Amino acid sequence: MSVTIDSGAATPTVRKPPWYRSLFVQLLVAIVAGVVVGACWPGVGADLKPLADGFIKLIKMVIAPIIFCTVVLGIAHVGDMRAVGRIGVKALIYFEVITTFALLFGLVVGNLVKPGAGFDIDPQTLATGAEKIARKTGNGELPHTVDFLLNIIPASVVSAFAENALLQVLFFAVLFGLGLAKFGERSGTAAGGAGGVGKQAPPVILEAIDHIGRVFFTIIGWIMRLAPLGAFGAMAYIVGQYGLSSLGSYGKLIACCYLAALLFLLILAVVARVFAGVNLWKFVRYIKDELFLALGTASTEVVLPRIMIKLTEAGCSKATTGLVVPTGYSFNLDGATLYLSICVLFLAQALGVDLSLGEQITAVGVLMLTSKGMAGVPGSSFLALSATVTAIGHGSIPVAAVALLLGADRIMDSMRVTVNLLGNCVATFVVAKWEGQLDTERMRKVLDGEDVPPLEEADPMSEYALEKVTP
């Protein structure tokens, strides 16, 4: 891909790539092909899991340094510890409000639709449920709230990157960025006297970090060429391993969850429009490639670098994007919380138990805590539900009942991924607008598909960069 600039050109023209090079088209074909292979040849489909695992591992390999470089550059340019603190506090307030609303909204939908009605499960048949959950979760457990918060502080800088602990990397990046900004102030004072306080970090260090970030984004660009292959392998495995027959058995639960997700996305659209002036439908079209990739691989982590770039291109500041998006991956799991609250009611209804208002409120309180530590924990949804069932203390709902969801959980990934991803994007726009770090005019033009001047840091991942030629 070459970029040619003619200083005498009056207006740049855009040379669009052929349709078959569109990532959206390639992902669509790959996902459909994966469904066909998984349905027609289940054994072959189940064996294709390494394609998805390899692609996801490649992406995760570079996520930590990308977050570090993006956050450090954003904070160092802001150069104000109070501004960084405001962004963090506002993001956490927004996360807590919206996830609590998602839990309550899920309970409302679950009470109205009653997805578990008609199952009539005999608790005596659930004897092996606990063993199945143990195998699914690897006998793990969710961290307690205090442990979760303490684990944000890394044992060492090296371990944070080595273990790919994103919150720990984010924590260190914030401190490093603030340290650079403070060092810049001291350098400015020394160079310019009492009146010459500088606001920027040393340019040599920032330039080095910027170049390192560009290298990693270039690597991401290469990895993204394998995205259709990863989506194909993931979809073939899901369909081949779990089959389409579970769609019938859990049809009402699946329909309930997807209905709740659709209604919740409409509410998110209102929030985006009212509090940030963002048209969510236009934004969905803008990130359609990333959305399809997340759906195909059942993972939001694989699109984290691209989403951060897209949000920055759409007018959100680097500091806000770098702080809100990675934090939201642990604290703002809207889709997961929506799913969990519905599943609590599903289990009770399937066993013929009528949960009181107090027991439902108890469930919400427990899920408010357990849902914050779910990211990166194998089988986290089952662990969160097990903790919630235990906390409710209703003897008629054994913890082993959570095993009823094993057949439907994987099918819910598309719902959770979509709502989680869009929820974090809306959060970034809202916090950026709240903090005065959203370029509204640029956002409008980008979402309308109009030409905008490139940012200082072009997106090296985009295979469709504008090619300027003489008209």
Side-chain angles (χ1 to χ4, degrees), residues 318-397:
K318 260 193 170 183
T320 303
T321 303
L323 284 170
V324 176
V325 175
T327 309
Y329 270 53
S330 290
F331 287 91
N332 192 40
L333 303 173
D334 299 340
T337 52
L338 190 67
Y339 167 71
L340 289 174
S341 59
I342 292 175
C343 285
V344 168
L345 290 180
F346 168 80
L347 294 176
Q349 293 161 2
L351 292 165
V353 176
D354 185 17
L355 291 181
S356 66
L357 179 61
E359 289 170 332
Q360 293 189 31
I361 292 176
T362 299
V364 169
V366 174
L367 289 173
M368 284 175 63
L369 297 175
T370 56
S371 62
K372 300 299 185 293
M374 288 174 55
V377 179
S380 56
S381 59
F382 297 102
L383 294 172
L385 284 171
S386 298
T388 305
V389 169
T390 302
I392 292 175
H394 203 302
S396 300
I397 309 178

Side-chain angles (χ1 to χ4, degrees), residues 69-199:
C69 294
T70 302
V71 173
V72 168
L73 288 172
I75 290 177
H77 282 123
V78 170
D80 186 350
M81 185 178 297
R82 286 175 298 179
V84 174
R86 284 198 308 270
I87 294 173
V89 170
K90 289 175 179 179
L92 291 176
I93 291 173
Y94 177 89
F95 293 160
E96 193 58 45
V97 169
I98 204 72
T99 52
T100 301
F101 175 79
L103 288 170
L104 295 173
F105 186 75
L107 286 181
V108 171
V109 175
N111 278 297
L112 292 175
V113 178
K114 299 186 183 303
F119 264 69
D120 298 326
I121 300 295
D122 182 359
Q124 300 300 321
T125 64
L126 301 173
T128 60
E131 297 176 5
K132 293 179 180 177
I133 294 298
R135 287 197 298 269
K136 179 70 175 179
T137 60
N139 288 311
E141 60 180 20
L142 291 175
H144 296 292
T145 304
V146 174
D147 294 333
F148 172 70
L149 294 176
L150 286 177
N151 284 337
I152 294 176
I153 304 173
S156 71
V157 174
V158 175
S159 69
F161 286 89
E163 296 170 8
N164 214 26
L166 298 189
L167 280 181
Q168 294 183 1
V169 172
L170 178 62
F171 180 82
F172 173 67
V174 170
L175 293 180
F176 193 86
L178 291 173
L180 275 181
K182 190 67 176 178
F183 183 74
E185 289 183 10
R186 291 176 179 174
S187 300
T189 302
V197 179
K199 287 293 182 182

